Amino acid sequence: QVQLVESGGGLVQAGGSLRLSCAASGRSFSSYGLGWFRQVPGKEREYVAAISRASVVDYAGSVKGRFTTSRDNVKNTVYLQMNSLKPEDTAVYYCAARFGSDSYDYWGQGTQVTVSS
């Protein structure tokens, strides 16, 4: 089992920055990959970014160049640095964990990010 707790959300003006954190506990942190997703009410959950066990990263086209994900295997925490935020980035952001190429089976509770214009 993996438990995930996100933090760092809030209200920011367009063009601003936020850093989300996701603290993990349970199984060995270095044994799984992590992803970031976001969801707006009434819409499907959207992929944002992922970081593998080996810290290989991937980003959705809509955030590439603005968002950066990283992981700290000592602090058991994954981060999402979000710069140049836009109103369309407003959503609840979730982190998730998966083992190997399996589906993301473990999810945090989410943190709200609101970007005002």
Side-chain angles (χ1 to χ4, degrees), residues 29-34 51-56 71 73 98-100:
F29 185 73
S30 60
S31 67
Y32 49 87
L34 296 129
I51 183 164
S52 72
R53 291 174 53 191
S55 294
V56 175
R71 63 188 296 162
N73 289 348
R98 68 175 180 178
F99 293 87

Side-chain angles (χ1 to χ4, degrees), residues 13-96:
Q13 288 188 333
S17 298
L18 280 176
R19 187 176 81 157
L20 305 184
S21 300
C22 176
S25 60
R27 292 179 63 175
S28 174
F29 185 73
S30 60
S31 67
Y32 49 87
L34 296 129
W36 289 96
F37 297 79
R38 63 188 182 187
Q39 190 168 24
V40 175
K43 294 188 176 181
E44 290 191 358
R45 188 158 48 198
E46 176 188 17
Y47 167 76
V48 174
I51 183 164
S52 72
R53 291 174 53 191
S55 294
V56 175
V57 298
D58 180 70
Y59 300 96
S62 59
V63 307
K64 193 172 292 185
R66 300 187 298 122
F67 291 12
T68 303
T69 189
S70 59
R71 63 188 296 162
D72 185 329
N73 289 348
V74 174
K75 295 182 177 180
N76 292 354
T77 301
V78 61
Y79 303 98
L80 183 67
Q81 177 67 43
M82 306 184 294
N83 299 327
S84 301
L85 283 160
K86 305 174 181 180
E88 51 263 43
D89 295 317
T90 295
V92 177
Y93 282 71
Y94 299 89
C95 67

